[in-house]
Amino acid sequence: MQRKRFYATQLMKLVFQALLYIFLFATFFGMLSITNAAILNISRTAAATMATFTCSMLLLTTVYGGFEIDHKRKRTVFANLSLAAFFTDLITYVILQIMNTNPNNPEANATIILWGEDLALMAGAFILQVGVIYFLVSMGFRCYYHINPVQDCCIITSSQELACHVAAKMSGFGRKFNLTEVVHYECPDLKATIHRHDVIFLAGIPDTEEAALQAYCYKHHKTIYLLAELEDVVISTAQQTIMDDTAFLYIRPMVPTLTQRFTKRACDIVISLIGLIVTSPVMLITYLLLRFSGNGSPFFRQKRATLNGMVFEIIKFRTMYEDSANVSARENDDRVTPIGRFLRKYRIDELPQLFNVLRGEMSLVGPRPEMLENVDRYTREVPEFKYRQQMKAGLTGLAQIEGKYNTSPKDKAILDLLYIENFSLAYDFKLLLRTLTIFFRRDSTEGFHNRRVDCPAMRATALQDAPSPTAAAASAPQSAAL
């Protein structure tokens, strides 16, 4: 049954993706053909624009993620596909206007025209595309949950605190996971518990016991979610190599090459300059609003840590009252001004950091620049937190995109180390494009809080009426058939 659901899900995703691409393609070219008949005829213009649209859509759906209804939330999938469609339309539109420009042809434009009737048609096409994306994504999720009913899950862990942490992450996928039990990894009826569930979450278990549980779950075809530890990040980036006739995992510290360092710095300079020029009207308006708000200097400066523990002064627009305590923001923090809430929501307060990037104190992409007070405290809690300082702090990065303001120190460290260990210039470019997705997340600027999560109490003793592991395995013949 599980294998049938897997193949049915894959087939369903392929069908919906094909329908999506066909509708996006037809919508764009159908609208733009109103004033550009050549794009529907056999011509160089048609070939160039169609090839551009197809390649851009494939590339951008790879960057933002395609029809990932089995891994992402509905809002995330919708936002990612909408961004991919928008940039695909924009790139293809520019190519179309270039193809329409020929000063030697009286029927073509003498110069490139970016603002005109075609732009309105492109905007109309994008609005239609957003509607199509929303419809197909909604239908895709409905079909997915019809094929894949909610799965019974259990958490095997070493503490109630870790169980609550995992349960909080599962709560955002309520229609996918049904958490029924939390058990200690030394519980006598652990194997019977595993057989009663479809998905097993492992968190905070000693290495030897964790390896044994992974092997047991794999043997009985159970889906496993393993809470990553910092050492797991290092192993995950290891290269496979064979010496003589023996396989090894080859691990070495990640050090950017001179070419990578030079190119990364050159991109920082060029993109930050362009960013400052493009956003200068927004920054000027923000500066004037804050200046006349009567809350002190419009700019907020604070010492932050970067490469090798070096300290620099970060520049941001002020979002809190001037005499506020120098501690991290909390949920519904009354230190945040009304203007500040708007600036934080749309990340406008971070625009002045482009000056830090231009000066070389930060990079466009890198680990999150933390307050010095937080660095000291987090390092005491999680000693590996200092490994984040192997690279220069960044305006954006994996932790800034996938994490939240209130992400735990350990999770911040893991996200930043994932970026560092997987560093490449192509990965930086991908993260820059993905930065736009944070505007579609309601929880990205969520402050620290102590929110309660419904989580079963951890059980360390066997259930009185629990079947033995052998009986449990015999009652699940579908596992043996897989």
Side-chain angles (χ1 to χ4, degrees):
M1 178 63 71
Q2 186 175 350
R3 180 168 292 183
K4 290 181 178 179
R5 288 174 179 168
F6 173 78
Y7 288 129
T9 301
Q10 297 303 306
L11 178 61
M12 181 269 294
K13 286 178 60 179
L14 287 174
V15 170
F16 273 93
Q17 276 188 301
L19 288 174
L20 177 66
Y21 291 151
I22 291 171
F23 275 113
L24 294 181
F25 186 93
T27 302
F28 179 85
F29 285 93
M31 290 291 290
L32 270 297
S33 66
I34 295 175
T35 54
N36 300 271
I39 62 175
L40 296 183
N41 299 323
I42 299 177
S43 63
R44 288 186 304 169
T45 300
T49 52
M50 289 182 180
T52 299
F53 188 96
T54 302
C55 294
S56 297
M57 178 58 71
L58 293 175
L59 174 63
L60 289 167
T61 49
T62 300
V63 169
Y64 287 109
F67 212 73
E68 298 179 334
I69 57 177
D70 47 348
H71 300 298
K72 303 291 185 180
R73 299 177 185 178
K74 179 179 177 181
R75 184 186 182 92
T76 302
V77 176
F78 170 70
N80 290 347
L81 290 173
S82 296
L83 284 171
F86 173 76
F87 284 114
T88 298
D89 289 351
L90 187 62
I91 294 170
T92 309
Y93 172 79
V94 172
I95 295 300
L96 175 61
Q97 300 312 310
I98 293 173
M99 296 296 296
N100 284 338
T101 304
N102 188 346
N104 299 318
N105 185 352
E107 297 182 358
N109 300 323
T111 59
I112 187 170
I113 300 175
L114 296 178
W115 310 96
E117 187 178 1
D118 284 354
L119 183 62
L121 291 173
M122 186 194 75
F126 177 67
I127 293 173
L128 291 175
Q129 288 173 338
V130 169
V132 170
I133 292 171
Y134 183 81
F135 174 76
L136 290 178
V137 169
S138 298
M139 292 300 297
F141 269 90
R142 291 185 63 178
C143 292
Y144 176 83
Y145 289 125
H146 178 74
I147 297 172
N148 300 277
V150 64
Q151 298 174 305
D152 289 333
C153 309
C154 76
I155 299 175
I156 302 175
T157 183
S158 58
S159 71
Q160 184 69 43
E161 181 182 3
L162 275 175
C164 290
H165 177 72
V166 175
K169 307 307 172 185
M170 297 170 61
S171 63
F173 299 87
R175 295 187 63 185
K176 186 173 183 179
F177 302 123
N178 176 35
L179 178 58
T180 61
E181 285 189 81
V182 175
V183 296
H184 193 273
Y185 68 91
E186 292 181 334
C187 188
D189 65 342
L190 188 60
K191 291 183 178 179
T193 302
I194 290 174
H195 283 286
R196 292 197 299 270
H197 296 86
D198 305 307
V199 180
I200 313 298
F201 284 80
L202 305 178
I205 303 173
D207 293 341
T208 303
E209 289 81 357
E210 182 180 83
L213 285 172
Q214 288 184 56
Y216 189 82
C217 291
Y218 183 81
K219 175 183 177 181
H220 293 281
H221 308 281
K222 299 295 182 179
T223 301
I224 308 171
Y225 283 83
L226 175 64
L227 182 64
E229 300 292 339
L230 292 167
E231 57 268 21
D232 296 325
V233 175
V234 177
I235 295 296
S236 69
T237 58
Q239 299 178 6
Q240 299 177 9
T241 185
I242 298 176
M243 298 178 64
D244 196 3
D245 58 354
T246 302
F248 288 85
L249 293 179
Y250 175 51
I251 304 172
R252 64 176 180 180
M254 203 301 299
V255 179
T257 64
L258 290 176
T259 302
Q260 287 176 323
R261 291 168 62 91
F262 174 81
T263 306
K264 186 176 175 68
R265 179 60 188 143
C267 290
D268 285 346
I269 294 173
V270 173
I271 297 177
S272 62
L273 275 173
I274 295 174
L276 286 169
I277 294 171
V278 171
T279 62
S280 57
V282 177
M283 293 176 67
L284 177 60
I285 294 172
T286 304
Y287 175 85
L288 293 175
L289 286 173
L290 294 174
R291 168 59 70 185
F292 293 109
S293 67
N295 188 35
S297 172
F299 294 110
F300 169 76
R301 300 173 186 271
Q302 188 179 65
K303 294 187 181 301
R304 299 288 178 97
T306 183
L307 178 66
N308 297 325
M310 295 176 59
V311 178
F312 73 102
E313 196 172 58
I314 201 169
I315 309 172
K316 302 176 71 173
F317 281 123
R318 183 174 298 281
T319 59
M320 291 186 177
Y321 293 105
E322 192 171 23
D323 56 350
S324 299
N326 190 24
V327 294
S328 298
R330 305 190 69 85
E331 189 175 27
N332 299 321
D333 200 319
D334 57 6
R335 295 173 300 161
V336 180
T337 64
I339 296 176
R341 296 190 188 281
F342 177 84
L343 298 181
R344 280 173 172 255
K345 182 177 180 180
Y346 296 102
R347 303 299 179 101
I348 298 173
D349 62 315
E350 298 186 4
L351 290 179
Q353 292 179 60
L354 290 170
F355 288 107
N356 293 117
V357 176
L358 186 61
R359 293 199 301 236
E361 298 163 334
M362 292 176 61
S363 181
L364 287 169
V365 184
R368 184 194 296 269
E370 283 290 348
M371 296 166 50
L372 298 186
E373 295 83 356
N374 285 351
V375 172
D376 293 336
R377 180 164 60 89
Y378 293 165
T379 303
R380 289 194 299 269
E381 297 175 9
V382 185
E384 297 87 351
F385 195 80
K386 62 184 178 182
Y387 297 154
R388 302 167 60 258
Q389 298 176 359
Q390 297 177 69
M391 293 194 72
K392 190 181 296 184
L395 181 61
T396 187
L398 186 62
Q400 294 90 314
I401 296 170
E402 296 293 348
K404 297 180 286 188
Y405 186 78
N406 61 357
T407 298
S408 70
K410 181 179 177 180
D411 288 336
K412 285 182 181 179
I414 288 178
L415 289 172
D416 283 329
L417 283 175
L418 278 173
Y419 163 72
I420 292 171
E421 292 299 323
N422 290 281
F423 167 75
S424 70
L425 296 174
Y427 193 35
D428 273 13
F429 177 72
K430 179 178 180 179
L431 290 175
L432 280 173
L433 290 176
R434 288 185 58 197
T435 301
L436 293 173
T437 61
I438 64 176
F439 296 106
F440 296 89
R441 293 181 53 193
R442 297 172 181 172
D443 59 354
S444 62
T445 57
E446 185 177 67
F448 288 91
H449 55 75
N450 296 312
R451 183 173 299 165
R452 295 182 60 86
V453 177
D454 291 332
C455 178
M458 185 176 67
R459 177 171 59 82
T461 58
L463 296 174
Q464 295 298 325
D465 56 347
S468 66
T470 304
S475 65
Q478 68 272 20
S479 296
L482 295 179

